[in-house]
Amino acid sequence: MYQNKGLVITLLLLLTVLLFPQKQLNAQGLLYRKISVQAHHLPLENVLDRIGQKCGFSFSYNSSIVPRDSLINLSVSNQTIKDILDMLFAGRFEYKEAAGFIILRYAPLRLSLITDKVESNRGVYRISGFVIDDRTGEKIAKASVYEKKLLRSALTEADGSFEMKINTRNHSIALTVSKELYRDTTVLILSSVDVNSDGSTRDDPDHTSGEGASVAERTAIGRLLVSYKQKIQELNVPGFIAESPVQASITPGLSSHGMLSGQVINKFSINIFGGYTAGVEGVEAGGLFNINKKYAKGVQAAGIFNLVGMSVVGVQAAGIYNGVLDSVKGVQAGGIANFVIKDFAGVQAGGMVNFVRGEFSGVQAGGLLNFDLGTVKGIQAAGLMNISGNHTAGLQVAGLMNATGRSMSGMQVSGTLNIAGGDMRGAQIGVVNFARHQKGFQFGILNVADTSSGASVGLINIVRKNGLHSVSVSSNEMFTWNLLIKTGTPKFYTIIHGARNMGGWGFGKQYQLSNRLFLSPELVGLYLYQGSWDYTNTITRFNMNLTCKVHKLLSVFAGPSVNVLYSDQDKKVDGYSLITERIKMSRSSKNDKLYHWIGWSAGISVTPFTK
């Protein structure tokens, strides 16, 4: 009785497969929705966009294979999307559904999987057979034969043969055969009964990708470490991604998932030397390295390097190098370098170098260099150099140089050089500061800008277009000859003041009274040498000069000054006179070392760089 019951169940399963083929099982999918399309002399790419817009999905395809620019004339009514695609591509493509996508895979050829032996003993299946080309009958080598749910796979030999061992308690096994340029074919094995099902299978919509080798596999490291058989699997079954709670491997290919390790996303993955998986959603640890084809979510740690083909969300740590070929949200720590192709949000710490091609937001710390081609929002700190290719909004601190390709709003602090290639709205503090359009504050020995509406404080301030740059010779009550160099803008300029035995620095502002008259209040700090450095003689001088421009390049000025002297020198040195004896001044009643007096100055200014 039980034998008859088992036979009935087997026959019912067989009838289900025969009477309800794959097309009907997928009839509720995107491919079997009926639509109407009218296109007259439109590029194929536009026609595909119209179809996708009608049903709320997008097409994914290799643009180098699909003739996007070919002109299409199409008029169909109430036809399935699959039938329309067959018209457009003449049956040379295979279609697979994913979440919000239909993937077009070039597959003009067909193949068959034929089993010649199926043995089952206490849940252990031993299956062998071969794969052939439907049209020519030729045996197909390097085809992938795999069981999707059980994650068992094999590659066919040179004569097209394969052999597999599968442990399962199921009464049926679905073997799929895939090969580049061929349509997928699935064989359903019911105990000792084989059933061939022509046509494509539909992969798990949540884990389907485009065709071709993964980005991670195409890197130099991927080409070196991913095994040849895994690369063949990647070409044959690019759209198959499965999930597993645990994975363990010694090296890529020597894995608990076998040659399908690159098609499996794991919750926990341990790689003794290194491993190659589709991704991790939990924890992954590699003695030497981890390579993920898709993404890493959680914690990923390796002794030497981590390489992820898509995104990372969580923590990624490696002894030498972390590479992510998409974006990162979280923490990335590399003993030497971190490399991210797209955007980064979080904390990135590299012993030597951090590189982000897209937008960076967070904290970036590099022992030598931080290099971002996009916008930086946050903090960059490097032992030598910070470079932002676009806009910087935040803080850059470097031992040698900070550079922003375009605008900067925030602060740059460096031991030597700060550069802002566009607008600088913030502050630059360094030995040399450069900004294209200075709209903030610069502090350094040399400050340079094309235009300036802010303040530059330094020994020399050069503003190329709207700047003030003058050399003056003057006389005052202290010395007959004085040399003054003024650089900056009329709104704010700095002064280098030199005379015999006296020198100092100050700043001023120019008020325009008319086309030729200007009033210039100035504050200067001076040190006076009177024969010995053992004494302190400092003068604070406030000038109020009236300047008259007599020529574009020549001006004359004169005005009063208020002076305060601090001097603790009460002994005269041979060859030097005391200023307190040469000038009539008043001593402070509260401090006998403080003096004050009213002075004057007059001179001529030459402005050779006036624009």
Side-chain angles (χ1 to χ4, degrees):
M1 178 178 178
Y2 290 107
Q3 291 179 348
N4 292 336
K5 184 177 180 181
L7 179 60
V8 170
I9 293 174
T10 300
L11 290 174
L12 287 174
L13 288 172
L14 177 59
L15 288 172
T16 300
V17 173
L18 292 174
L19 296 178
F20 298 93
Q22 189 70 27
K23 289 184 179 181
Q24 294 188 27
L25 289 173
N26 287 340
Q28 300 304 314
L30 293 172
L31 287 168
Y32 294 92
R33 290 187 185 180
K34 292 186 177 182
I35 62 171
S36 299
V37 179
Q38 305 293 325
H40 177 65
H41 214 57
L42 285 179
L44 175 60
E45 182 178 27
N46 292 357
V47 176
L48 293 177
D49 288 343
R50 283 191 179 185
I51 295 173
Q53 290 170 3
K54 281 180 175 286
C55 297
F57 68 88
S58 300
F59 284 98
S60 175
Y61 51 82
N62 187 334
S63 58
S64 64
I65 296 176
V66 174
R68 297 180 300 167
D69 297 332
S70 61
L71 299 179
I72 301 297
N73 291 304
L74 183 68
S75 178
V76 294
S77 178
N78 198 31
Q79 295 288 322
T80 66
I81 293 175
K82 182 182 182 304
D83 290 338
I84 296 172
L85 293 176
D86 285 340
M87 295 178 197
L88 293 174
F89 297 108
R92 290 172 297 148
F93 279 75
E94 183 179 41
Y95 325 121
K96 296 187 178 184
E97 296 185 30
F101 289 92
I102 288 181
I103 299 167
L104 307 180
R105 177 174 176 264
Y106 186 61
L109 306 176
R110 296 176 181 271
L111 47 70
S112 292
L113 185 151
I114 301 174
T115 57
D116 58 12
K117 182 178 70 174
V118 177
E119 295 179 352
S120 175
N121 182 17
R122 297 182 180 180
V124 178
Y125 282 78
R126 297 182 183 274
I127 306 169
S128 63
F130 53 91
V131 176
I132 63 171
D133 184 300
D134 275 2
R135 184 175 62 85
T136 65
E138 178 184 359
K139 303 292 180 62
I140 303 298
K142 299 176 184 177
S144 297
V145 181
Y146 56 100
E147 216 292 338
K148 297 182 180 182
K149 294 183 179 179
L150 301 176
L151 302 179
R152 292 293 178 265
S153 68
L155 283 178
T156 57
E157 302 292 340
D159 61 356
S161 64
F162 72 92
E163 186 171 346
M164 299 177 67
K165 177 182 176 182
I166 299 176
N167 297 321
T168 180
R169 296 183 179 277
N170 295 338
H171 294 290
S172 63
I173 296 174
L175 290 185
T176 299
V177 57
S178 297
K179 174 70 175 175
E180 190 180 12
L181 303 182
Y182 286 84
R183 290 179 178 249
D184 289 357
T185 298
T186 295
V187 172
L188 185 63
I189 299 173
L190 301 173
S191 295
S192 60
V193 180
D194 298 349
V195 179
N196 289 344
S197 173
D198 292 334
S200 304
T201 62
R202 190 177 82 176
D203 297 321
D204 182 352
D206 293 329
H207 299 102
T208 306
S209 62
E211 61 180 278
S214 71
V215 178
E217 185 187 303
R218 292 197 298 267
T219 63
I221 293 175
R223 289 195 298 269
L224 177 65
L225 296 176
V226 177
S227 69
Y228 173 74
K229 289 187 176 181
Q230 285 181 306
K231 293 175 184 177
I232 295 296
Q233 293 277 36
E234 177 67 25
L235 289 172
N236 290 340
V237 288
F240 171 57
I241 298 293
E243 292 185 350
S244 176
V246 180
Q247 185 271 160
S249 68
I250 299 175
T251 62
L254 295 177
S255 163
S256 57
H257 298 327
M259 290 298 107
L260 282 180
S261 65
Q263 265 71 35
V264 183
I265 295 173
N266 307 284
K267 298 295 183 184
F268 179 79
S269 176
I270 180 71
N271 303 306
I272 304 303
F273 294 108
Y276 176 56
T277 67
V280 61
E281 295 179 349
V283 178
E284 182 171 50
L288 298 179
F289 64 88
N290 300 303
I291 301 177
N292 293 158
K293 182 169 68 176
K294 291 176 73 68
Y295 57 78
K297 297 180 180 179
V299 178
Q300 186 183 53
I304 295 180
F305 74 87
N306 295 303
L307 178 61
V308 177
M310 292 177 67
S311 61
V312 170
V313 178
V315 179
Q316 190 181 47
I320 293 180
Y321 169 81
N322 291 306
V324 179
L325 306 182
D326 200 277
S327 60
V328 174
K329 292 182 180 179
V331 178
Q332 194 178 48
I336 292 181
N338 297 303
F339 184 94
V340 178
I341 286 289
K342 293 187 179 179
D343 299 339
F344 189 104
V347 178
Q348 188 180 47
M352 294 181 69
V353 178
N354 293 309
F355 176 87
V356 177
R357 183 176 289 180
E359 181 178 294
F360 180 90
S361 57
V363 178
Q364 190 177 47
L368 295 179
L369 171 67
N370 294 313
F371 189 11
D372 296 278
L373 292 181
T375 297
V376 174
K377 299 178 181 179
I379 299 174
Q380 279 187 316
L384 284 181
M385 222 180 301
N386 293 308
I387 298 175
S388 171
N390 194 13
H391 171 71
T392 299
L395 174 64
Q396 286 183 315
V397 180
L400 182 64
M401 183 182 81
N402 295 306
T404 296
R406 295 187 180 177
S407 58
M408 195 277 288
S409 56
M411 180 178 289
Q412 290 179 319
V413 180
S414 77
T416 303
L417 176 64
N418 295 307
I419 298 173
D423 291 351
M424 194 282 286
R425 301 174 184 270
Q428 289 179 317
I429 301 174
V431 176
V432 179
N433 301 303
F434 173 82
R436 184 73 65 187
H437 306 291
Q438 206 278 86
K439 300 179 180 180
F441 175 76
Q442 290 178 318
F443 182 83
I445 295 176
L446 173 62
N447 300 307
V448 181
D450 276 358
T451 62
S452 176
S453 58
S456 298
V457 179
L459 285 179
I460 300 175
N461 305 290
I462 299 174
V463 181
R464 192 170 66 88
K465 294 183 179 180
N466 66 331
L468 182 151
H469 314 96
S470 69
V471 178
S472 304
V473 177
S474 70
S475 294
N476 57 35
E477 76 282 2
M478 294 183 291
F479 294 96
T480 304
W481 298 103
N482 297 270
L483 179 67
L484 297 91
I485 299 174
K486 301 178 182 181
T487 57
T489 67
K491 292 182 178 181
F492 184 90
Y493 57 87
T494 58
I495 306 164
I496 299 175
H497 187 139
R500 183 184 178 186
N501 302 325
M502 186 178 71
W505 180 91
F507 55 88
K509 180 179 175 64
Q510 192 177 84
Y511 293 93
Q512 186 170 355
L513 303 179
S514 67
N515 288 338
R516 292 182 177 273
L517 291 178
F518 303 88
L519 187 64
S520 303
E522 298 172 346
L523 183 65
V524 184
L526 301 167
Y527 182 86
L528 178 63
Y529 179 73
Q530 298 185 121
S532 175
W533 295 105
D534 295 334
Y535 301 101
T536 300
N537 300 286
T538 60
I539 300 171
T540 302
R541 184 177 179 90
F542 178 75
N543 300 314
M544 183 63 75
N545 291 321
L546 183 65
T547 301
C548 178
K549 183 179 288 188
V550 297
H551 185 269
K552 180 179 180 182
L553 303 179
L554 186 65
S555 302
V556 295
F557 64 89
S561 66
V562 177
N563 301 270
V564 176
L565 166 68
Y566 174 87
S567 177
D568 60 3
Q569 185 172 352
D570 54 4
K571 294 180 180 180
K572 187 175 181 180
V573 178
D574 290 343
Y576 292 88
S577 61
L578 294 177
I579 192 172
T580 54
E581 297 176 351
R582 291 189 292 110
I583 299 175
K584 185 178 180 180
M585 57 182 66
S586 301
R587 178 178 288 184
S588 172
S589 59
K590 295 182 180 180
N591 188 336
D592 61 0
K593 296 179 181 180
L594 282 177
Y595 304 83
H596 56 83
W597 73 95
I598 302 296
W600 58 271
S601 64
I604 300 173
S605 294
V606 178
T607 55
F609 306 112
T610 300
K611 291 289 184 180

